[in-house]
Amino acid sequence: RLRLQAAKRPDGSWNVSRLLSAPEAGQEIPEVRIEDGVLEIVGAANPGAGPLIFRDVNLTLSTDERDEPDAKPAARRFEATLAGDLFRQVQVSGAIEPDGSVWSATGTIDGLSVSPELRDALPLELAERLAPLGALRAQGTLGFQVRYDPAASPPCAFEVSGQLTQGRLDDPRLPLSLTDLRAAFVCDHRGVTIKNLFARSGASTVHLAFHQTGYAENAPRELHAQIREIELDRRVVEALPEALQRHWHKYLPSGQISADVTLVFDGQTWKPDVSVECLNVAFTYHRFPYRLERATGTLCLKDNVLTATITAYSGNQPVRVSARVLDPLADWHGSIEARADALPLDDRLLSALPEKTRSAVGSLHPAGTLRTFARVWREAPGAVARRYVHVELCQGSIRYDRFRYPITEVRGKLEMLDDHWTFRDLEGSNDTGRIRGNGHLGPAPGGHELRLRLIGEEVPLEEELRDALPPAMRQVWDDVRPQGAVDLDVEVHYLTGQEKLDVNLRAWPREDRVSIQPVCFPYRIDRLRGALFYQNGLVTIDQFRGEHGDVRLATAGRCAFLPDGSFRLTLEGLRVDRVRLDRDLIQALPARLKRAVAALNPEGPLHVRGDLSFARSGPGAPLASQWDLAVDFHQGAVDCGVRLENLEGTVRLVGQFDGERFGCRGDLDIASVMYKDFQFTQVAGPLWIDDERVLAGSWVGLPQQGQPGAPEGPARAARPITARLFGGTVQGDGWLALGAEPRFGVQATYSDGDLERLARESLPGTQNLKGRMAASVVLRGKGRSTNELTGQGSIELRDADIYELPLMVRLLKILSIRQPNRTAFSTADIDFRIDANHVYFDRLEFKGDAISLLGGGEMNFQSEIQLTFHARVGRGDLDLPLVEQVLGGASQQLMLIRVAGTLQDPKMRREAFPGVNQAIQQLQADRGPQIQRRLPRKLR
């Protein structure tokens, strides 16, 4: 029951060393046997751990017998067994030289419980050497040999070997706890060797071999490990060295790997030789955060060169990654490449792009699959990293935000070199349309610059194209309703930093198959030709031509679109040939204008030229228009109650329509027009047409400033319509009130007409007439019939020779004037009234030097006449009222001339003493019944 406490003094000696002191000369050392003793070792590595206690100490201490009495003292030997809290049994034997300077021991330890508590209880020297074991807990069996000889090198030689089982290691340097640990090890004064270490960490397994030469901090060491199915997570990251952690965060791997690791430390640097097999790994490159999953393959790091061959997946599509990088953990150089044959072009891929590039590319809304190749490389340490991406589009689609026209079946190549993208050989389609394109996207001040050019062939004019246009252009599209197909050339320039968009578009109608039918003027125009240019809200129309049956149209123009949704379309140099007011055109006219045109009822081909503009003040606002047009008539006709035919000339029309009312000012420049059989030439004067009336001549007045047709120069007085007729001048004014039954009025004067020309051009047969004519007329009417026509007028002939007129010839014959001279009638005055289809002559007066005819009567519009004349001797110009009354009254009582028939074939008869005849007729009328009663019945 010996209880022994061993303690280490501050000088490094142990207090029990005196028990082992050398005996005096000749002194016999007895055999010592200790049973059931206790040994306490004080001076543990952890002061708070308490002494290391060995119980059941059984020790036999003996001395070897000397051969001779004077021989050197014999060594003392010991054999012991003992037990303790941290092991089951220790067996040890050894020898100690008499002077205690040299000793040796061998033994075994069974049931050893390796734990931090054991390490803390050991003396500091031993604890420090066992520090690499850390928090290892295990059961072990070991054997040891120790020999201490101060004269040897090293003074202390030892070897500890054994087996560990049921181990568990919870070390903060490891990502996971190691369980089920077992290993064989050898630890001696030369170093440490661990062989066949096996452990589990969850589903992972570890096989490890380790050797360290010496115990210095910079002692060379070598580690070989096989790690299978380790899970990459946060704990793995935290277990890595800081340098590796920085690279880890660049890729953020997750999943499972297996690794073969060889680490060699030469005392200064580590030389890794690592081979990692990816079993099911996901990772993302921080400069292109596109997550790849289910990666398999290997990464090898040897001689400071990293090589990789990995196949990962995006969805179901494989991505092959290869790399060869030198000095990967420091100033790397080399290259990394990735390939994919059918990578989906989706939101995940777009989200991986840099923000500014993503904004520009995302505005295209690309979709489809890609065949890609990407490469990142540095040519030398310290050099700038370069990037290259090659993309081939396969059956993709795009729809640009600023021109949302969908293009499908997109193919082409995209290349990126250091953030500079180039688009080449782009092809796509939309219905029957084929689209080709190229472009560029690259850094610019404050953002990125996109340049894109698209060329379209046979692009259908459908709703998809309409919906891609800016709102104001969509409104114009809705207004004109285009149909057919066009060829397009579109250039897009966009600066992301400035939100500045430039769009240049050029369009050509395809093979004369384009037509339009404007809503406000539903007159279909086919076979459109020409070109349309669009640039930043301004449309230019060049050499625009179209057809409607035999009608030909040509113009040029421009259209400005403003951000508020308003626009203004101006057509310049408009020419429309061979227009006829047929049913199509009449139905196309606005209701108010249709009423005005219907009232005028123009006929024949028209030729229109001039300028025309349309404007809308905003979305939903009415469409307004302005025009300055010249309408050329050729063999035309107008019927507004008075029918005008064979129109040859021009009418200039200047007007506007605000969406509710229209007004139009016109100027006549008519070379020739026929009214019945009369030809009017050099017809000129003003017109006014609105949705309620048509005015001509002085009725028009002057337009106010800002009204259509307002004069730019000095103001002019109101002027009538003027014309030339038979050498004379016609001046007139007129008005037409529009409505269900139009009403009209005309007033005109005629002066200095040539009777000879009238006879030559308008009267049948050869007429030898001369004289000057003057006339005036005032007409009013309703509708297109003459039933409501009324008016009055007068005709004057001066210096006339009119005796050869058929009517005059017969009048002279009936007066027995056989050979009238040239002055038979030299003047004539006619006053007439018009009522419905009849002309009533209130005065017919033909004067000559020898005889004058005075009379009256009526005529219808078929030239049928009923006239009555009486003759008078001389001109009757004497200013003697009494004589005039006597002679005039006498002449009427002497003879009357009655004319019937037509103007061309008059029938005349004389009636002598009309007063006597009238009296007899009255007497017969009164006496007739009495005479009949007096006659015999037979005579009655």
Side-chain angles (χ1 to χ4, degrees):
R1 299 185 184 277
L2 175 67
R3 189 178 187 88
L4 182 64
Q5 187 179 69
K8 192 175 184 178
R9 298 189 182 100
D11 62 359
S13 63
W14 289 84
N15 65 338
V16 296
S17 61
R18 293 177 59 192
L19 296 177
L20 303 176
S21 62
E24 295 180 0
Q27 182 179 9
E28 294 291 337
I29 297 178
E31 180 177 326
V32 178
R33 186 169 60 253
I34 300 173
E35 296 178 358
D36 195 17
V38 176
L39 174 63
E40 295 182 7
I41 300 176
V42 180
N46 185 356
L52 178 63
I53 300 175
F54 297 90
R55 297 183 179 86
D56 297 330
V57 177
N58 296 294
L59 172 66
T60 300
L61 182 64
S62 61
T63 303
D64 292 340
E65 295 183 359
R66 291 183 294 178
D67 296 335
E68 297 178 4
D70 296 332
K72 181 179 178 181
R76 283 172 289 180
R77 298 189 179 278
F78 60 89
E79 292 182 2
T81 62
L82 49 100
D85 295 336
L86 300 177
F87 49 85
R88 184 172 62 250
Q89 184 181 47
V90 177
Q91 293 183 346
V92 60
S93 63
I96 304 174
E97 293 298 325
D99 58 2
S101 60
V102 178
W103 57 271
S104 63
T106 62
T108 61
I109 302 177
D110 294 329
L112 177 64
S113 178
V114 181
S115 64
E117 292 81 4
L118 173 63
R119 190 189 66 179
D120 291 342
L122 293 175
L124 182 60
E125 293 84 350
L126 287 175
E128 289 178 346
R129 294 188 179 187
L130 295 176
L133 297 179
L136 174 65
R137 296 179 181 274
Q139 298 296 316
T141 299
L142 57 87
F144 59 87
Q145 297 179 9
V146 183
R147 176 178 176 79
Y148 178 76
D149 184 353
S153 180
C156 181
F158 68 91
E159 178 180 304
V160 180
S161 62
Q163 300 284 335
L164 295 178
T165 60
Q166 303 178 21
R168 179 184 180 89
L169 181 61
D170 295 300
D171 194 310
R173 296 170 296 177
L174 296 177
L176 296 173
S177 299
L178 297 180
T179 62
D180 197 17
L181 186 148
R182 56 184 182 270
F185 65 90
V186 176
C187 177
D188 59 20
H189 57 275
R190 293 183 297 272
V192 179
T193 299
I194 300 175
K195 299 181 293 182
N196 300 324
L197 183 148
F198 172 82
R200 296 184 184 276
S201 178
S204 305
T205 61
V206 178
H207 293 268
L208 183 142
F210 176 77
H211 176 73
Q212 176 176 311
T213 302
Y215 295 94
E217 183 176 352
N218 60 346
R221 62 204 69 173
E222 183 174 344
L223 180 145
H224 301 276
Q226 293 180 341
I227 305 171
R228 297 293 180 262
E229 298 183 6
I230 186 171
E231 194 74 27
L232 299 175
D233 56 18
R234 176 182 55 81
R235 292 169 295 183
V236 174
V237 180
E238 294 172 351
L240 295 175
E242 183 178 352
L244 283 177
Q245 288 188 27
R246 290 196 300 269
H247 288 278
W248 181 284
H249 291 300
K250 292 180 180 180
Y251 297 92
L252 296 176
S254 64
Q256 289 182 336
I257 64 170
S258 294
D260 293 336
V261 181
T262 297
L263 298 176
V264 177
F265 182 65
D266 61 4
Q268 294 182 349
T269 59
W270 285 93
K271 294 181 179 180
D273 184 350
V274 180
S275 176
V276 176
E277 180 184 3
C278 298
L279 303 178
N280 184 7
V281 177
F283 61 91
T284 302
Y285 180 50
H286 71 112
R287 293 187 180 276
F288 189 74
Y290 183 67
R291 193 77 172 169
L292 296 177
E293 301 173 338
R294 292 177 287 149
T296 59
T298 59
L299 291 89
C300 297
L301 177 64
K302 186 174 183 179
D303 298 332
N304 207 25
V305 177
L306 174 66
T307 58
T309 302
I310 296 174
T311 299
Y313 288 84
S314 174
N316 294 323
Q317 300 303 320
V319 179
R320 292 176 291 278
V321 180
S322 61
R324 188 177 188 278
V325 178
L326 285 69
D327 200 6
L329 301 181
D331 195 4
W332 72 274
H333 57 285
S335 66
I336 304 172
E337 298 178 354
R339 300 175 185 270
D341 292 332
L343 197 65
L345 182 53
D346 52 17
D347 291 339
R348 290 181 56 242
L349 183 60
L350 294 178
S351 299
L353 297 173
E355 181 178 358
K356 294 178 180 178
T357 304
R358 179 170 67 248
S359 175
V361 175
S363 65
L364 297 173
H365 293 280
T369 58
L370 310 174
R371 182 179 294 112
T372 62
F373 170 76
R375 184 171 184 258
V376 179
W377 77 97
R378 291 176 70 178
E379 297 177 350
V384 176
R386 306 287 303 279
R387 289 176 295 159
Y388 172 78
V389 177
H390 178 87
V391 177
E392 293 186 22
L393 299 174
C394 305
Q395 300 298 319
S397 66
I398 61 173
R399 189 185 65 216
Y400 183 42
D401 268 341
R402 304 301 180 109
F403 187 72
R404 300 178 67 85
Y405 183 64
I407 303 175
T408 59
E409 299 182 6
V410 175
R411 298 181 297 275
K413 299 176 182 177
L414 290 76
E415 290 185 335
M416 186 275 286
L417 179 61
D418 299 332
D419 288 336
H420 291 269
W421 287 86
T422 301
F423 314 136
R424 295 185 294 107
D425 303 330
L426 297 178
E427 295 183 3
S429 63
N430 182 289
D431 198 5
T432 59
R434 303 297 303 171
I435 311 295
R436 296 179 289 110
N438 55 68
H440 171 79
L441 173 66
H448 276 67
E449 177 185 47
L450 171 66
R451 290 186 179 274
L452 187 64
R453 183 180 183 188
L454 300 175
I455 297 176
E457 298 177 355
E458 204 170 348
V459 177
L461 296 173
E462 297 177 341
E463 291 300 314
E464 287 181 327
L465 181 58
R466 177 257 183 204
D467 294 340
L469 300 173
M473 291 188 68
R474 290 201 295 269
Q475 183 64 61
V476 174
W477 180 292
D478 293 338
D479 288 339
V480 301
R481 293 183 178 179
Q483 295 179 346
V486 297
D487 293 340
L488 296 174
D489 188 347
V490 183
E491 293 184 359
V492 178
H493 181 210
Y494 181 55
L495 293 174
T496 60
Q498 304 176 17
E499 294 293 327
K500 180 181 179 182
L501 174 68
D502 294 328
V503 177
N504 294 335
L505 180 146
R506 186 178 183 186
W508 304 269
R510 179 76 175 184
E511 297 178 354
D512 297 336
R513 291 187 299 170
V514 175
S515 65
I516 60 174
Q517 187 167 359
V519 173
C520 63
F521 186 70
Y523 188 70
R524 184 181 178 89
I525 301 175
D526 300 313
R527 299 175 62 83
L528 291 182
R529 297 176 295 279
L532 182 145
F533 302 88
Y534 172 83
Q535 181 176 16
N536 299 331
L538 179 64
V539 172
T540 302
I541 302 171
D542 184 36
Q543 297 182 358
F544 183 83
R545 299 184 301 279
E547 302 174 6
H548 181 92
D550 294 335
V551 179
R552 300 292 183 267
L553 178 147
T555 188
R558 60 186 181 277
C559 185
F561 298 93
L562 300 180
D564 61 1
S566 62
F567 72 88
R568 183 175 184 84
L569 170 63
T570 301
L571 301 179
E572 300 171 338
L574 174 67
R575 294 186 61 86
V576 185
D577 297 328
R578 291 181 285 184
V579 179
R580 292 184 179 273
L581 286 170
D582 54 14
R583 182 178 181 277
D584 289 348
L585 183 57
I586 294 296
Q587 292 300 321
L589 294 174
R592 296 176 183 271
L593 183 58
K594 185 187 301 183
R595 186 169 58 183
V597 172
L600 295 173
N601 194 25
E603 300 175 7
L606 307 178
H607 305 276
V608 181
R609 49 190 169 84
D611 300 332
L612 176 63
S613 65
F614 300 93
R616 193 185 297 276
S617 59
L623 185 68
S625 56
Q626 291 184 338
W627 56 87
D628 184 353
L629 302 173
V631 181
D632 298 327
F633 291 88
H634 178 64
Q635 297 295 317
V638 173
D639 187 354
C640 56
V642 176
R643 183 172 177 80
L644 305 177
E645 299 178 311
N646 294 327
L647 268 168
E648 297 284 348
T650 301
V651 179
R652 183 188 176 194
L653 300 174
V654 180
Q656 63 184 19
F657 176 62
D658 62 5
E660 296 182 359
R661 300 180 63 86
F662 81 93
C664 179
R665 183 177 179 85
D667 281 298
L668 298 176
D669 184 12
I670 304 298
S672 174
V673 60
M674 298 293 293
Y675 173 65
K676 294 189 180 296
D677 293 328
F678 299 99
Q679 182 181 24
F680 294 83
T681 61
Q682 301 178 27
V683 181
L687 287 176
W688 174 265
I689 304 173
D690 58 30
D691 49 5
E692 295 180 350
R693 57 187 179 168
V694 178
L695 304 178
S698 301
W699 288 98
V700 175
L702 288 177
Q704 300 298 319
Q705 188 68 28
Q707 290 183 349
E712 299 179 357
R716 299 175 298 171
R719 55 195 175 96
I721 301 293
T722 62
R724 300 288 294 172
L725 176 65
F726 304 130
T729 300
V730 178
Q731 292 186 336
D733 306 308
W735 58 270
L736 173 64
L738 305 176
E741 188 175 26
R743 296 177 294 108
F744 64 90
V746 177
Q747 61 183 28
T749 62
Y750 178 58
S751 60
D752 201 25
D754 187 346
L755 184 58
E756 183 179 5
R757 285 187 58 182
L758 170 63
R760 184 172 63 249
E761 297 177 11
S762 299
L763 298 179
T766 302
Q767 308 292 339
N768 187 14
L769 304 177
K770 294 182 181 179
R772 310 305 298 176
M773 295 184 296
S776 65
V777 66
V778 176
L779 297 175
R780 289 173 297 279
K782 183 186 297 184
R784 300 189 180 280
S785 169
T786 58
N787 295 332
E788 300 288 340
L789 183 65
T790 62
Q792 63 274 343
S794 63
I795 301 173
E796 296 180 357
L797 301 180
R798 297 293 182 266
D799 301 325
D801 293 332
I802 59 174
Y803 68 93
E804 289 190 5
L805 285 171
L807 178 61
M808 294 297 104
V809 170
R810 297 192 182 192
L811 284 172
L812 292 175
K813 286 182 178 180
I814 206 170
L815 292 173
S816 300
I817 300 176
R818 301 302 182 184
Q819 295 181 352
N821 59 24
R822 295 292 184 180
T823 60
F825 298 107
S826 59
T827 64
D829 293 286
I830 302 172
D831 294 334
F832 61 89
R833 291 176 295 110
I834 299 176
D835 189 357
N837 293 318
H838 290 77
V839 180
Y840 298 95
F841 298 101
D842 296 329
R843 182 172 68 136
L844 291 171
E845 186 172 338
F846 300 92
K847 295 180 180 180
D849 293 336
I851 190 170
S852 298
L853 290 175
L854 289 84
E858 65 178 279
M859 177 180 69
N860 62 23
F861 286 175
Q862 286 74 41
S863 299
E864 296 175 340
I865 56 176
Q866 292 289 337
L867 304 177
T868 301
F869 291 95
H870 67 271
R872 178 184 294 173
V873 178
R875 288 185 171 275
D877 293 337
L878 297 175
D879 193 11
L880 298 175
L882 180 59
V883 175
E884 175 68 22
Q885 292 178 6
V886 173
L887 295 179
S891 65
Q892 295 181 35
Q893 295 302 320
L894 292 175
M895 182 177 61
L896 289 180
I897 303 173
R898 299 193 183 275
V899 183
T902 64
L903 283 176
Q904 294 75 22
D905 185 18
K907 308 296 183 182
M908 302 183 187
R909 61 185 178 87
R910 289 182 297 180
E911 187 176 322
F913 302 106
V916 176
N917 290 335
Q918 184 177 6
I920 293 173
Q921 291 175 0
Q922 182 64 41
L923 179 60
Q924 290 176 346
D926 295 339
R927 299 290 295 173
Q930 298 178 9
I931 295 173
Q932 286 185 344
R933 285 195 298 269
R934 293 176 182 177
L935 290 175
R937 183 175 298 273
K938 291 182 180 181
L939 295 178
R940 285 184 288 172

